[in-house]
Amino acid sequence: MKFSTKLILSMTILVAVLFSVGGTILISRNFKHSLETAAAQNVEQHLLERYAIESNMINYILSGESYSEDKVADYAKRLSGYTGGQNKVMALYSDAGKVLYTNLPPLSDKNMEAILSQEGNTYLIRQADGLKYMLLTSQLEIDKNMVLLVSAYDITGLFSERDRQLQDFLLLDGIVILLCVLAIGLMTHVLTGPIQKLNNTSLHIANGAYKERTRIRSSDEIGQLSRNFDLMADAIEQQIDELQLSVRQRDDFINAFSHEIKTPMTAIIGYADILRTSATDKEKQIRYSRTIYQESRRLEELSRKLMDLMFCSEENLTTGPQPVYTIVHRLHQQMEPLLEGIRLSIAVEPASVVADASLLDCLLRNLILNAKKADPKDRTIELYGKIKDQAYRFSVEDSGCGIPPEELARITEPFYMIDKSRSRAMGGSGLGLFICSKIADLHHTKLHFESELGIGTTVWFELEVAKDV
């Protein structure tokens, strides 16, 4: 059962019960009040009838006549006929239970027994001939003779009015319940509409519509839930986009890596097979051997780059104060045999930076090797370090071939090479700047490139200056 249906049913039942109970209590109290008012009036009328009979009989006795049951009955008959016999219904019984006079409607023996045993100041309600009667009794003493007076008053109108009120109330109750169902249904639709929208949106998101949002504009709890749901959906969409991007990058990386490995391996296997199976002159042997050596160096460089890339992760990051002099001194010793006659000029200000020592070494080494591949005209690579705007800036400059402006946006992509034939001839793999970019991201910084064709390139990044301990 839907929540809206449960809400409509529960609210309708609650309203119906409360309205019905309230109406029933109100009608019952009105009927009780009317009955008490009628009882008071009937008691007063009964007393008047009693006094009338007593007074009449006393006058007979005072006039010198003796007490007679026939005279009592005759007066009761005349008394009941004063109003045409419509409203005054009575009966007289002797002390021995003899009926002196009665115009009561036929009652069962059991009812008569209850009437005759009734005490004063109380009344009984009995039904006879389809009418409701209020019965009152009292004892009359006439010349030492006891007479029981029973008066009956028609109160059928009270019960008819109560029944009419109940019928009207039942009709009104039905109308009210119907209106309540319609009103509660409308309010439920309005109140549960946002919940239904949340449900539909969650289903759409579950089916892949990650851009779907509730956008419920409300200041209540449902509005707050909607905003939190949309924030959650934004976070999920962002994570999914990142995962999809990561998968695409992984696939692109694997495809490019497979291609980069396949090319040198094909060359190595091909030339090695020629040297193994064919008789070649010395000049071809040297040329083929050189090609095998170069392609092997490319594979070695690619393997080293991959190892560097595997090390570039948050899990392997251990940052701390790193003295700049220690970094560049170690770097100079590492790079000297790799630069093959190109001079590394170092000019740095003394300071300590917050970094991971191994990753910072890898970053600077790759930038310097990349500058070497640019073939600087003055055979010099400049490494600068200085404090600038509360940060420490490292710069690597060369006077090489430069980078075309349209290529700058893509040079940090994996396996991207501006001049593939030239880069491969120099042992390049297209991973160096990609690794540098990853290391910079881990240190919450960014690589900046400034380059002009034929003039040279400057790459710089900034790190946090370590505070003195």
Side-chain angles (χ1 to χ4, degrees):
M1 185 182 293
K2 290 185 178 180
F3 175 74
S4 58
T5 306
K6 292 180 181 179
L7 187 60
I8 292 173
L9 288 177
S10 59
M11 292 298 295
T12 301
I13 292 172
L14 179 62
V15 170
V17 170
L18 292 178
F19 189 74
S20 299
V21 170
T24 302
I25 292 174
L26 180 62
I27 293 174
S28 299
R29 293 189 63 179
N30 288 338
F31 175 73
K32 183 179 179 181
H33 176 72
S34 299
L35 190 61
E36 289 174 351
T37 302
Q41 293 174 349
N42 292 337
V43 167
E44 185 178 351
Q45 181 67 28
H46 176 73
L47 292 176
L48 290 175
E49 294 169 357
R50 171 185 171 181
Y51 294 148
I53 295 174
E54 287 179 334
S55 299
N56 183 268
M57 296 308 299
I58 290 173
N59 288 334
Y60 271 116
I61 294 171
L62 291 176
S63 65
E65 297 185 18
S66 61
Y67 169 79
S68 170
E69 292 181 348
D70 293 337
K71 290 180 179 178
V72 174
D74 182 63
Y75 182 74
K77 182 178 181 181
R78 285 187 287 117
L79 182 63
S80 65
Y82 287 157
T83 56
Q86 297 298 319
N87 294 323
K88 200 165 289 187
V89 180
M90 64 177 63
L92 287 174
Y93 298 88
S94 67
D95 189 33
K98 177 184 176 181
V99 179
L100 303 179
Y101 169 79
T102 181
N103 65 349
L104 292 175
L107 295 169
S108 66
D109 294 340
K110 187 175 182 181
N111 283 333
M112 290 305 302
E113 196 177 309
I115 293 169
L116 295 175
S117 62
Q118 182 183 359
E119 297 180 358
N121 300 324
T122 61
Y123 62 85
L124 295 176
I125 296 177
R126 293 293 184 269
Q127 182 172 345
D129 295 337
L131 300 176
K132 295 281 187 179
Y133 289 95
M134 179 181 288
L135 302 171
L136 295 101
T137 63
S138 60
Q139 294 281 346
L140 287 74
E141 185 177 355
I142 305 172
D143 194 21
K144 298 182 181 181
N145 294 288
M146 302 302 297
V147 177
L148 180 65
L149 172 64
V150 178
S151 299
Y153 302 96
D154 185 3
I155 57 172
T156 306
L158 291 178
F159 286 89
S160 298
E161 179 62 19
R162 183 195 64 176
D163 294 340
R164 185 194 65 79
Q165 290 180 1
L166 283 173
Q167 289 177 356
D168 292 345
F169 173 74
L170 288 175
L171 178 60
L172 178 63
D173 194 19
I175 295 173
V176 169
I177 291 174
L178 179 60
L179 293 176
C180 283
V181 170
L182 296 176
I184 294 171
L186 179 61
M187 289 188 295
T188 301
H189 177 72
V190 173
L191 293 175
T192 60
I195 299 177
Q196 185 62 41
K197 189 172 184 181
L198 277 168
N199 183 48
N200 293 336
T201 302
S202 64
L203 288 176
H204 292 159
I205 292 176
N207 291 329
Y210 301 115
K211 295 188 178 298
E212 190 79 13
R213 297 293 181 272
T214 60
R215 295 185 177 88
I216 297 173
R217 300 293 179 259
S218 175
S219 58
D220 57 10
E221 291 83 354
I222 294 179
Q224 183 64 41
L225 175 63
S226 169
R227 288 187 288 274
N228 292 337
F229 182 90
D230 289 346
L231 290 175
M232 179 189 69
D234 290 339
I236 292 174
E237 182 184 10
Q238 182 179 357
Q239 290 181 357
I240 290 175
D241 289 342
E242 290 176 354
L243 287 173
Q244 290 176 342
L245 177 62
S246 176
V247 170
R248 287 196 302 270
Q249 289 177 341
R250 183 197 63 188
D251 292 342
D252 292 343
F253 182 87
I254 291 174
N255 292 334
F257 175 70
S258 300
H259 178 74
E260 288 298 320
I261 287 183
K262 181 180 178 181
T263 302
M265 288 299 295
T266 300
I268 292 173
I269 293 172
Y271 285 115
D273 187 58
I274 292 174
L275 292 175
R276 182 179 66 87
T277 60
S278 303
T280 55
D281 55 42
K282 189 171 184 179
E283 181 182 351
K284 288 183 178 180
Q285 289 179 358
I286 294 173
R287 188 168 73 249
Y288 295 164
S289 299
R290 184 183 301 114
T291 301
I292 292 173
Y293 173 78
Q294 291 173 346
E295 296 301 323
S296 299
R297 288 292 304 271
R298 280 189 60 203
L299 286 176
E300 179 189 25
E301 177 70 10
L302 183 60
S303 300
R304 187 174 61 82
K305 297 291 187 183
L306 287 175
M307 292 299 295
D308 290 341
L309 189 58
M310 290 174 61
F311 194 70
C312 295
S313 64
E314 292 281 357
E315 292 79 5
N316 297 321
L317 185 67
T318 305
T319 59
Q322 307 296 336
V324 174
Y325 273 159
T326 302
I327 294 170
V328 298
H329 177 71
R330 183 170 60 245
L331 186 67
H332 187 271
Q333 291 180 330
Q334 293 174 354
M335 298 304 300
E336 188 173 5
L338 300 176
L339 292 179
E340 299 176 347
I342 296 178
R343 187 172 66 90
L344 177 62
S345 175
I346 299 176
V348 296
E349 293 182 10
S352 293
V353 295
V354 178
D356 181 289
S358 299
L359 291 180
L360 182 56
D361 283 348
C362 180
L363 171 57
L364 293 172
R365 183 180 71 248
N366 278 290
L367 290 179
I368 292 171
L369 289 175
N370 197 69
K372 169 182 173 282
K373 294 169 187 173
D375 193 19
K377 292 183 287 293
D378 58 1
R379 309 296 292 169
T380 300
I381 298 173
E382 307 282 351
L383 173 61
Y384 295 106
K386 59 182 178 179
I387 298 175
K388 186 171 184 178
D389 298 331
Q390 298 181 347
Y392 198 91
R393 178 177 292 188
F394 286 98
S395 301
V396 177
E397 299 181 8
D398 67 71
S399 57
C401 59
I403 304 171
E406 65 273 11
E407 304 286 350
L408 285 174
R410 301 190 59 190
I411 56 177
T412 57
E413 294 179 9
F415 298 108
Y416 184 78
M417 291 176 280
I418 298 173
D419 187 344
K420 295 185 182 294
S421 59
R422 182 173 178 275
S423 296
R424 286 172 177 159
M426 301 191 69
S429 62
L431 283 175
L433 290 179
F434 174 64
I435 293 172
C436 293
S437 178
K438 295 284 288 184
I439 295 174
D441 289 339
L442 290 174
H443 286 82
H444 307 292
T445 187
K446 185 178 179 182
L447 298 179
H448 299 268
F449 294 87
E450 299 171 0
S451 182
E452 291 187 45
L453 284 175
I455 296 177
T457 301
T458 299
V459 185
W460 59 272
F461 62 93
E462 293 180 344
L463 294 176
E464 179 185 352
V465 177
K467 297 180 180 179
D468 295 334
V469 180

